[in-house]
Each structure stands twice: as structure tokens, then as C-alpha cells.
Amino acid sequence: MALPATYDINYYRGDKYQFIINAKDQEGNDLDISAYTALFTIASSRGPTPSFSTSATASISGSQITCTISPTIGATLTAGPYVYDVQIKNGSANVYTYLTGSISVTLDVSEA
């Protein structure tokens, strides 16, 4: 697998934010990844010991990975930059990183 794609997110704290990744093979055909589990991790920095790290929701259906930052998870984020990645792994512990990037959090006005 090639290096993961990069997608930067602007997140407004308190909102639900959702995106879908379509897994494809090298020919561009849908890739059935339903036997895998997905991980969507948000952290303050890359590496083994960030000062902040949380798991957002990631689920798989067929060839799609649906990633969601819920208002509950979003409430744990303060203003500023974060990094994230979306990985899938199967029972034999093979790990594939599909997407990575940064998350810029803007504090909301209506709710704290």
C-alpha cells in the first residue's frame, strides 16, 4: 500500500463532523474491507506519547469507512491544531493507514 492520503479538517467545536473513505484496490475497484476494524485517532502530536489522544468513531461497511467526530468527542478538543489518522487492521494484526492530516478546532459561540 502507498502512503496514506492527506486531508486536513476544519472542525467547529460542538458540531457533528462526518466523512467517508472509499477503499479501492490499485485498479480503482471497491475493496471489501468488512473483515477489518477501523480506528480514527485524534492526538495533540504524532508519535508514541502525545500529551492528548482520543478515539473518535470509525465503522466499516463493505468498502466504506465512516468516520465521525461526535459533539461529545469534540467537547474534549480545545482551540488549536491536532493531528489524526484513520487505520484499518485485520485479525492477523496487519495495519493499513488510509488517511492522515491535521484538525484545526474553532471554539463555538453558542455552547461551551
Side-chain angles (χ1 to χ4, degrees), residues 17 28 35 45 47 52 54 58 60 65 67 70 72 74 80 97 108 111:
Y17 186 91
S45 63
F52 172 85
T54 190
I60 294 176
I65 307 165
C67 300
S70 68
T72 302
T97 304
D108 56 347
E111 296 182 22

Side-chain angles (χ1 to χ4, degrees), residues 7 21 23 31 34 37 41-42 55 73 89:
Y7 178 71
I21 302 167
L31 186 62
S34 57
T37 56
T41 305
I42 301 169
S55 294
I73 292 296
K89 67 180 181 177

